[in-house]
Amino acid sequence: MIALKALSKNRLKSFLIFLSITVAVMAIFLISAISGGIIGMYSKMIKTDGDIIITQKGISDTFFSNVDIALMDKIDKIENVSSSYAMIVGASPIGHIPIAAIYGTTQNHFSHYKLSSGVYPKEKEVILGENLSKQFKTKSIAIANKNFEISGTYSSEIGFEEGGVVMNIADAGTLFNRSASFILVSSNSPNAIDEIVKKISAMHSEIEVKTTQNFVKEYNQFKIIENSSFVISFLAFAMGLMGIASVMSMIVNSRKEEFGIMRALGKSRFFIIKNIFFETLVLSVVSYGVALVLSLAVLALIPHIEMLQGYVNGSLSASLALYVLASTIIMALLGSLIPAWIASKTDPILLINQGCA
Amino acid sequence: MIQVSNISHFYGNEQVLFDLTFEVQSGEFLFLGGESGSGKSTLLSILSTLLKPSSGELLLDGEAVQDIKDIDFFRQSKIGFVFQFHYLINYLNIYENIALAATDDKKQNINKILEELGILELSSRYPNEISGGQRQRVAVARALVNEPKIIFADEPTGSLDSKNSTIVYELLQDAQKKGTTVVVASHDTQIQNYATKIIRLKDGKIL
């Protein structure tokens, strides 16, 4: 087939188009996946461990929230409540690391962090996420000018936690001067959740009680991250796709002389369009495939880069992959077929002369 | 074979051909002469259906060109071209370049024509792997493959030395002797020795 022959014989040109499309598609994949990954990690942290979340009323960020931990005793007595735990979420420089997440939690939540070595922390002790632990060979670490013994290391599927520190909530309370950032409540009856929310809300006027699903939907920080990641992804997407369309358009325009010769030899417009269609299809699908594999490889590597402490993460959904595939093919075809169609309608001798110019 | 009636052509506001009328009989060898800018290449492009004239009528093999429904097939089956710069497709080998021009029923002629032109051994090479003279012979082979009724050649020897120019002229003369109408636009006056009819243009008009 002439289309494949054109690709294989013009190797440098084909390689440059391939490279342009691959880089554009990779940019789309990585930016979309990483920005989506940040939201995914945080919402997973909250969603997986409870049905209801209690935060301080009117606070835009859990970092600033302060809830009385004593509420837990009353909450545990509510019908259909199976368990509850409290957490303080903070961030602080740790040793030579400029910033790391700190999770102070009640002991009944320690099991959430899967121990890789050592034991769960007692007073004045911490366990380190595996990513963070690679950067400390000492037996103790300094957090906000206070020393903590390292009692073990843990692993977590959530990148934020892998790069963080877990300690007793009392120690975190001293560090961050609060009782708890939030309390998470689990229920043994999904139908009773709304009733539990009402009962907890009635306990204190300064608290806000929501199902974790609603919290994730309404959380201001998520909205900000979501909106900015949408804008960045959209721009990456638009620039990537426009890049693909421009590259294809330039390549087709540079082949006017060839189309003119073909028309002069009696080849139909359909023949030219068909060949450009196949060339574009082959190039865009192969480039997309390579971009997908490379993006998956980069996303798999990112959590293992110590410098990033596991805070950068991302995964590609099948829907995003399909959406990008369809968009790549459509934009590449638009970029190539429109100029090819215009060229095919031009008098052959003018095409030949334009190609020589 | 070729009937030209009142053909004029403009590029933008500039008129380059003025109301040309002439005829070429079947089997003739027409030499279109004239200086650069005289309009001979434009006229050749119009005669060969590669360019639509601004006005006037053109009949090829008895058919009015503007009424031909499948101009691509008409061009492929009845017209052969030889350009100054050969215009071979660089990613196709010599055989494939000729096959690109051939109609399905004429593909079997390719090797025979390559042999007649003494370039059969080049069939698997690419255009950038052969000499200028060999390329022009390939271009002639491509023009002959469909046994066209008319061959148009625009400065076919413009980039060749005299030895290779003679080879190309003789190939075109051979085609004419077999009944093909040949129209050549050229600066090269040597071609006049092969022509049966001469038309000279100056400033878009027939002298």
Side-chain angles (χ1 to χ4, degrees):
Chain A
M1 179 174 257
I2 285 181
L4 295 178
K5 195 88 179 162
L7 288 176
S8 65
K9 193 68 185 164
N10 295 317
R11 281 184 198 148
L12 180 65
K13 204 181 267 186
S14 302
F15 177 71
L16 289 174
I17 306 170
F18 160 80
L19 204 62
S20 307
I21 298 178
T22 303
V23 169
V25 174
M26 274 187 76
I28 296 169
F29 273 146
L30 292 178
I31 292 173
S32 305
I34 290 171
S35 53
I38 291 169
I39 297 172
M41 279 194 291
Y42 203 74
S43 53
K44 192 174 178 186
M45 256 168 66
I46 292 168
K47 269 186 189 170
T48 49
D49 288 327
D51 303 309
I52 297 164
I53 184 166
I54 302 148
T55 57
Q56 186 180 343
K57 201 171 201 170
I59 293 292
S60 62
D61 192 313
T62 50
F63 273 83
F64 308 116
S65 169
N66 190 7
V67 179
D68 186 1
I69 197 169
L71 278 174
M72 280 176 64
D73 290 337
K74 292 182 192 170
I75 291 166
D76 287 343
K77 286 174 188 157
I78 297 172
E79 196 180 356
N80 291 318
V81 167
S82 57
S83 66
S84 68
Y85 71 89
M87 250 187 124
I88 289 175
V89 181
S92 169
I94 300 177
H96 64 281
I97 306 286
I99 190 119
I102 295 168
Y103 306 101
T105 186
T106 46
Q107 289 196 354
N108 63 346
H109 186 56
F110 279 158
S111 59
H112 168 86
Y113 307 96
K114 197 175 164 190
L115 275 180
S116 318
S117 65
V119 293
Y120 287 118
K122 296 183 187 116
E123 194 182 345
K124 304 276 184 200
E125 286 182 346
V126 293
I127 50 174
L128 306 184
E130 278 186 347
N131 265 328
L132 190 67
S133 71
K134 288 172 191 163
Q135 306 201 37
F136 289 98
K137 302 294 173 201
T138 52
K139 288 185 177 174
S140 66
I141 54 168
I143 305 173
N145 297 324
K146 290 190 170 61
N147 269 324
F148 291 86
E149 294 296 316
I150 300 169
S151 68
T153 57
Y154 66 90
S155 64
S156 168
E157 289 175 6
I158 299 162
F160 284 157
E161 293 181 344
E162 280 269 293
V165 170
V166 173
M167 61 175 63
N168 277 285
I169 196 162
D171 288 337
T174 310
L175 282 179
F176 297 109
N177 194 29
R178 69 195 57 193
S179 182
S181 298
F182 52 83
I183 297 170
L184 277 157
V185 179
S186 298
S187 168
N188 49 21
S189 168
N191 297 330
I193 288 174
D194 288 341
E195 189 57 32
I196 297 169
V197 168
K198 278 184 197 167
K199 284 178 181 171
I200 299 173
S201 298
M203 284 179 179
H204 203 293
S205 60
E206 286 301 308
I207 58 171
E208 196 155 22
V209 187
K210 288 179 178 172
T211 62
T212 48
Q213 279 189 335
N214 282 343
F215 177 80
V216 168
K217 263 190 228 164
E218 295 166 15
Y219 188 36
N220 281 336
Q221 296 295 346
F222 286 172
K223 284 182 189 168
I224 293 166
I225 297 171
E226 222 161 25
N227 288 340
S228 33
S229 71
F230 172 77
V231 171
I232 294 168
S233 301
F234 178 79
L235 286 176
F237 209 73
M239 285 171 66
L241 293 179
M242 291 304 282
I244 292 168
S246 309
V247 166
M248 293 313 300
S249 170
M250 281 189 289
I251 294 297
V252 170
N253 275 320
S254 73
R255 291 171 64 181
K256 279 183 178 174
E257 180 188 291
E258 180 187 326
F259 300 151
I261 297 165
M262 287 184 176
R263 294 293 321 280
L265 297 176
K267 290 297 170 192
S268 64
R269 288 172 192 167
F270 175 72
F271 176 85
I272 292 170
I273 299 285
K274 183 186 76 178
N275 279 292
I276 291 295
F277 176 86
F278 279 113
E279 273 185 45
T280 307
L281 198 64
V282 168
L283 262 176
S284 52
V285 169
V286 170
S287 306
Y288 170 87
V290 172
L292 180 63
V293 171
L294 287 176
S295 300
L296 289 171
V298 170
L299 289 173
L301 268 177
I302 282 176
H304 303 291
I305 300 172
E306 284 180 22
M307 195 180 73
L308 300 175
Q309 296 172 238
Y311 291 161
V312 180
N313 216 332
S315 60
L316 286 176
S317 63
S319 59
L320 177 69
L322 285 174
Y323 185 58
V324 174
L325 173 64
S327 309
T328 302
I329 292 173
I330 288 169
M331 290 305 281
L333 287 176
L334 277 179
S336 58
L337 292 185
I338 289 174
W341 173 247
I342 293 168
S344 73
K345 287 170 73 178
T346 309
D347 282 328
I349 198 69
L350 298 179
L351 284 176
I352 292 173
N353 292 339
Q354 282 170 20
C356 288
Chain B
M1 179 56 63
I2 303 172
Q3 280 182 275
V4 176
S5 306
N6 308 110
I7 280 193
S8 295
H9 194 69
F10 291 82
Y11 286 122
N13 291 326
E14 188 189 355
Q15 187 165 7
V16 291
L17 294 178
F18 294 83
D19 207 25
L20 304 183
T21 299
F22 63 89
E23 276 187 28
V24 182
Q25 300 302 317
S26 180
E28 277 196 302
F29 192 127
L30 170 66
F31 168 61
L32 273 178
E35 294 175 358
S36 272
S38 60
K40 59 185 186 302
S41 287
T42 302
L43 177 59
L44 195 83
S45 297
I46 289 171
L47 297 181
S48 57
T49 74
L50 298 183
L51 183 66
K52 290 184 196 80
S54 302
S55 64
E57 194 179 35
L58 171 66
L59 269 72
L60 293 178
D61 196 23
E63 291 186 73
V65 169
Q66 67 265 31
D67 298 334
I68 297 170
K69 283 185 182 162
D70 189 351
I71 190 70
D72 297 317
F73 183 72
F74 179 87
R75 203 182 282 140
Q76 186 177 25
S77 56
K78 295 198 173 178
I79 297 175
F81 296 95
V82 183
F83 300 99
Q84 179 178 359
F85 298 108
H86 62 73
Y87 289 132
L88 300 174
I89 307 283
N90 67 359
Y91 57 80
L92 299 179
N93 67 28
I94 301 311
Y95 183 93
E96 290 163 340
N97 260 287
I98 297 170
L100 181 70
T103 52
D104 289 342
D105 59 324
K106 302 291 183 189
K107 288 199 194 305
Q108 63 205 18
N109 294 351
I110 297 172
N111 282 335
K112 189 177 147 215
I113 289 173
L114 285 172
E115 195 170 9
E116 279 173 11
L117 270 62
I119 48 174
L120 183 61
E121 74 280 6
L122 305 178
S123 63
S124 60
R125 293 206 206 160
Y126 285 86
N128 61 353
E129 295 170 347
I130 60 177
S131 71
Q134 288 171 327
R135 274 182 227 147
Q136 203 59 311
R137 268 192 275 172
V138 174
V140 174
R142 185 176 63 181
L144 294 171
V145 70
N146 291 327
E147 296 169 349
K149 295 204 166 181
I150 315 169
I151 290 179
F152 293 97
D154 188 9
E155 301 285 4
T157 58
S159 55
L160 298 180
D161 56 28
S162 61
K163 185 184 163 198
N164 278 304
S165 296
T166 304
I167 292 171
V168 170
Y169 291 144
E170 285 173 356
L171 288 171
L172 292 174
Q173 192 180 40
D174 287 348
Q176 183 237 338
K177 284 177 179 167
K178 288 176 187 166
T180 306
T181 306
V182 177
V183 180
V184 180
S186 180
H187 284 101
D188 187 354
T189 49
Q190 191 194 339
I191 192 82
Q192 293 180 64
N193 304 328
Y194 301 88
T196 58
K197 179 170 184 151
I198 296 172
I199 292 177
R200 290 188 191 282
L201 292 179
K202 187 175 182 186
D203 298 330
K205 294 170 187 163
I206 296 174
L207 287 177

